[in-house]
Amino acid sequence: MPKPEPFIEIQNVVASVTLNQSFDLLSIVKALPGTVEWKPDEFPGLVFKLKDPKTATLIFSSGKMVCTGAKSEDLAKKAVRRVVDQLKSHGILIIGEPIIQVQNVVASASLGGRIDLERSTFSLGRTMYEPEQFPGLIYRMDAPKVVILIFASGKLVCTGAKKEAEVGEAVRKLQARLEEESLIFYE
C-alpha cells in the first residue's frame, strides 16, 4: 500500500513580545474593564483574551508579553497587533513597534500507520520509552531541534519548533527514517 502523506495540524503557537517600555498594569485594567483579567496576588501579569484570533496574551509591567493559543505564526502576530491596537485605542501609550518572536510551535500529526515503539527506541537513538509510565516514545531530534512524542497508532505530537516549516520537516524526516528501518506499517 502506498504511504499516505502525513496529516499535520498546528495546535498552538507561543510568541514572546518585547515593547521596550514598562506598563502600569492598573491603568490597563482601568482602561479595559471586563476585557483583561488581573489577579496580582496570584500572577504578576494580566491576561488579555481575544475571540478572533482566539488567543490569550499575558502582559507584564516590564513591557514583555507572551501570546499563546494561536493556530499559526501569522495568527499569533495578528493577535499581538490587535492587542497593541486595543491598548492604544484605550489611551495606553505605546512608543515603538512590538518585537515579536515565535518561541514554540506545537503540532499534532498522523502518519497513517502503526509504529513499532520497542524497536524504534533502539533504532532512533535519543529516545525515552517507559510504557508503564507513558504510552508514547519521546524522541529528541537534532535537526530541526524538536521533541516528538510518538505513539504506536502513528499519531505524533511535535513541540519545540520555532517555525511552522520546521514541524513539516521534522515529521517528514521521522517518517522517512521509520520507513527506512521498517518501523512503520501501513494498513
Side-chain angles (χ1 to χ4, degrees):
M1 176 177 182
K3 78 171 182 176
E5 273 298 305
F7 174 75
I8 301 169
E9 188 174 18
I10 303 299
Q11 299 297 331
N12 186 20
V13 175
V14 178
S16 64
V17 183
T18 304
L19 278 166
N20 292 318
Q21 72 180 71
S22 58
F23 286 123
D24 175 5
L25 297 183
L26 184 57
S27 66
I28 294 174
V29 172
K30 287 178 180 173
L32 291 139
T35 307
V36 297
E37 296 170 23
W38 190 40
K39 297 177 185 164
D41 297 339
E42 296 175 26
F43 186 71
L46 59 81
V47 182
F48 192 128
K49 290 184 180 175
L50 289 177
K51 285 189 172 75
D52 182 32
K54 191 171 193 277
T55 55
T57 300
L58 307 176
I59 303 173
F60 299 94
S61 60
S62 64
K64 301 271 188 207
M65 300 181 356
V66 177
C67 177
T68 184
K71 298 291 185 184
S72 72
E73 292 174 62
D74 288 342
L75 287 175
K77 291 172 184 170
K78 181 179 179 182
V80 168
R81 286 192 290 274
R82 191 161 283 167
V83 167
V84 169
D85 289 346
Q86 284 204 25
L87 291 171
K88 284 181 181 177
S89 72
H90 285 84
I92 305 301
L93 179 66
I94 295 181
I95 302 158
E97 286 299 309
I99 301 163
I100 305 167
Q101 189 171 13
V102 173
Q103 297 297 329
N104 188 15
V105 178
V106 180
S108 59
S110 178
L111 299 181
R114 301 222 33 96
I115 300 170
D116 184 332
L117 297 182
E118 289 284 333
R119 287 182 41 233
S120 296
T121 302
F122 300 104
S123 295
L124 294 175
R126 298 201 51 162
T127 61
M128 193 167 88
Y129 182 51
E130 295 180 31
E132 309 80 34
Q133 293 184 8
F134 181 69
L137 180 152
I138 302 166
Y139 173 48
R140 297 181 187 287
M141 187 178 277
D142 284 326
K145 192 171 172 50
V146 298
V147 175
I148 304 176
L149 304 179
I150 306 170
F151 298 92
S153 64
K155 303 253 190 262
L156 312 172
V157 175
C158 180
T159 185
K162 300 287 187 190
K163 297 180 178 328
E164 289 174 53
E166 289 179 354
V167 172
E169 179 187 346
V171 169
R172 283 186 273 287
K173 188 174 172 179
L174 174 62
Q175 185 175 27
R177 180 103 183 265
L178 292 170
E179 288 171 0
E180 264 171 38
E181 304 195 24
S182 300
L183 298 169
I184 187 166
F185 309 94
Y186 300 106
E187 279 99 39

